[in-house]
């Protein structure tokens, strides 16, 4: 059984002979799941070091991804003149056909990058966007829909390419619950995600959704609106057995050895025991 078949069987609960494995950052040649994304528009030159196509910049003090700064929509008046990146720019997907051919037999995932809510906070500023959600939902929606328009165009562009899934990455959780209220999430974000996931499914691809933190309150919603693979890298914030008991068999989980605990401090034996526990519970 190829990696592709193995992963498809796992996602669709068809009894794979072993669990598929997703490697991050290294040893990717051994991974059953491989990922790519869109390239920057070749004709865009940043005005300052670290500036993205969206207009904010990354500030890095070490080897991590850093923190976004200088949000271009910090002043709401700037929205009228703001020009977002062009999802149809030539060169964004030129690499994908050759990449897909080179990874035939693997489960191929196209990642949209940092998506939705997170990207909107980068444009507006984290605190300002949360205030908008609470005090002026229409203003928040205008910023969010700029982001989603870009993502939806990319979904349309990859619809005919040999890819098995489209990946979203939108961190919603703190250590103890959602960043916003579940009611606000359901009002503003759920219908927009549902429409995006339907686009992906119409293209015959799976929806792979990553979210860090304690997102317990919306797991059922994400399943209801079409998430096929739910990537949760901190399963200890839920409790593994609780997660499996409530949602096992309803969605395919991609759970790591918890990134905040055992993966950092565990012995080899503890890591292996944790993997067996994940497999048994989920």
């Amino acid at each position: 059984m190829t990696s592709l078949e193995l992963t498809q069987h796992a996602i669709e609960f068809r009894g794979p002979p072993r669990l598929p494995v997703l490697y991050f950052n290294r040893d990717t040649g051994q991974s059953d799941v491989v990922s790519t994304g869109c390239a920057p528009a070749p004709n865009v030159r940043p005005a300052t070091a670290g500036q993205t196509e969206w207009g904010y910049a990354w500030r890095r003090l070490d080897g991590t991804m850093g923190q976004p700064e200088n949000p271009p929509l910090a002043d709401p008046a700037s929205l009228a003149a703001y020009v977002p990146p062009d999802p149809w720019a030539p060169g964004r997907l030129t690499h994908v056909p050759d990449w897909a051919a080179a990874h035939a037999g693997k489960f191929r995932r196209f990642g949209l990058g940092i998506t939705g809510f997170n990207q909107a906070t980068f444009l507006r500023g984290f605190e300002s966007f949360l205030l908008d959600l609470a005090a002026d939902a229409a203003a928040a929606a205008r910023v969010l829909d700029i982001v989603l328009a870009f993502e939806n165009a990319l979904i349309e562009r990859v619809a005919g390419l040999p890819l098995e899934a489209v990946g979203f990455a939108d961190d919603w959780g703190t250590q103890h619950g959602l960043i916003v209220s579940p009611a606000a999430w359901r009002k503003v974000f759920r219908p927009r995600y549902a429409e995006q996931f339907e686009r992906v499914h119409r293209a015959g691809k799976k929806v792979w959704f990553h979210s860090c933190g304690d997102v317990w309150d919306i797991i059922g919603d994400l399943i209801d609106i079409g998430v096929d693979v739910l990537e949760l890298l901190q399963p200890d914030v839920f409790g593994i057995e609780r997660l499996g008991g409530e949602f096992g068999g309803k969605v395919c989980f991609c759970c790591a050895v918890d990134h905040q605990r055992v993966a950092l401090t565990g012995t080899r034996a503890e890591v292996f025991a944790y993997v067996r526990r994940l497999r048994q519970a989920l």
Side-chain angles (χ1 to χ4, degrees):
M1 184 173 283
T2 66
S3 291
L4 171 57
E5 294 167 334
L6 193 74
T7 308
Q8 288 173 327
H9 275 61
I11 293 172
E12 297 168 5
F13 299 99
R14 290 191 280 134
R18 67 165 174 84
L19 292 183
V21 177
L22 170 58
Y23 281 88
F24 286 95
N25 300 328
R26 55 172 289 178
D27 300 327
T28 54
Q30 300 178 51
S31 185
D32 294 304
V33 179
V34 292
S35 301
T36 192
C38 80
N43 60 340
V44 175
R45 297 291 179 266
T48 60
Q51 188 180 55
T52 68
E53 288 185 81
W54 291 94
Y56 60 84
W58 287 104
R59 178 171 62 90
R60 296 179 175 87
L61 300 179
D62 53 24
T64 64
M65 65 187 294
Q67 292 289 331
E69 61 180 7
N70 301 327
L73 301 181
D75 179 357
S78 61
L79 182 62
Y82 179 70
V83 179
D86 177 9
W88 299 96
R92 289 204 186 277
L93 302 180
T94 304
H95 66 289
V96 175
D98 287 345
W99 175 88
H103 292 89
K106 299 278 190 177
F107 186 90
R108 297 160 296 190
R109 180 179 63 173
F110 182 85
L112 295 172
I114 297 174
T115 57
F117 166 70
N118 288 171
Q119 191 74 276
T121 66
F122 296 171
L123 295 180
R124 178 79 173 96
F126 186 78
E127 182 176 342
S128 295
F129 189 75
L130 291 184
L131 288 171
D132 289 344
L133 282 173
D136 189 349
R142 284 193 291 272
V143 176
L144 178 62
D145 288 341
I146 289 172
V147 175
L148 299 188
F150 179 86
E151 296 170 11
N152 290 341
L154 286 180
I155 293 170
E156 182 178 342
R157 290 194 67 183
V158 303
L161 296 177
L163 304 159
E164 282 66 56
V166 174
F168 299 78
D170 213 354
D171 291 338
W172 271 110
T174 68
Q175 292 297 111
H176 303 288
L178 292 185
I179 294 171
V180 304
S181 72
W185 188 92
R186 292 181 181 117
K187 179 180 179 180
V188 177
F189 294 92
R190 174 173 166 140
R192 288 173 167 83
Y193 282 143
E195 196 275 336
Q196 287 190 295
F197 298 168
E198 176 60 26
R199 286 174 181 263
V200 175
H201 287 150
R202 283 201 304 268
K205 306 185 192 311
K206 303 294 188 185
V207 173
W208 190 301
F209 194 91
H210 162 92
S211 199
C212 278
D214 181 357
V215 297
W216 179 270
D217 288 334
I218 59 171
I219 290 177
D221 294 89
L222 290 169
I223 294 170
D224 287 345
I225 60 177
V227 167
D228 298 294
V229 181
L230 187 56
E231 183 177 292
L232 305 172
L233 304 185
Q234 300 158 260
D236 282 350
V237 302
F238 310 101
I240 297 171
E241 286 72 24
R242 176 179 176 234
L243 191 62
E246 183 69 23
F247 299 109
K250 299 177 182 178
V251 69
C252 178
F253 286 107
C254 175
C255 286
V257 174
D258 191 282
H259 279 192
Q260 292 184 308
R261 294 176 175 83
V262 176
L264 295 179
T265 62
T267 64
R268 176 181 172 86
E270 288 169 337
V271 168
F272 274 66
Y274 194 98
V275 171
R276 286 190 292 270
R277 186 176 160 210
L278 282 172
R279 182 182 184 278
Q280 179 65 30
L282 303 182

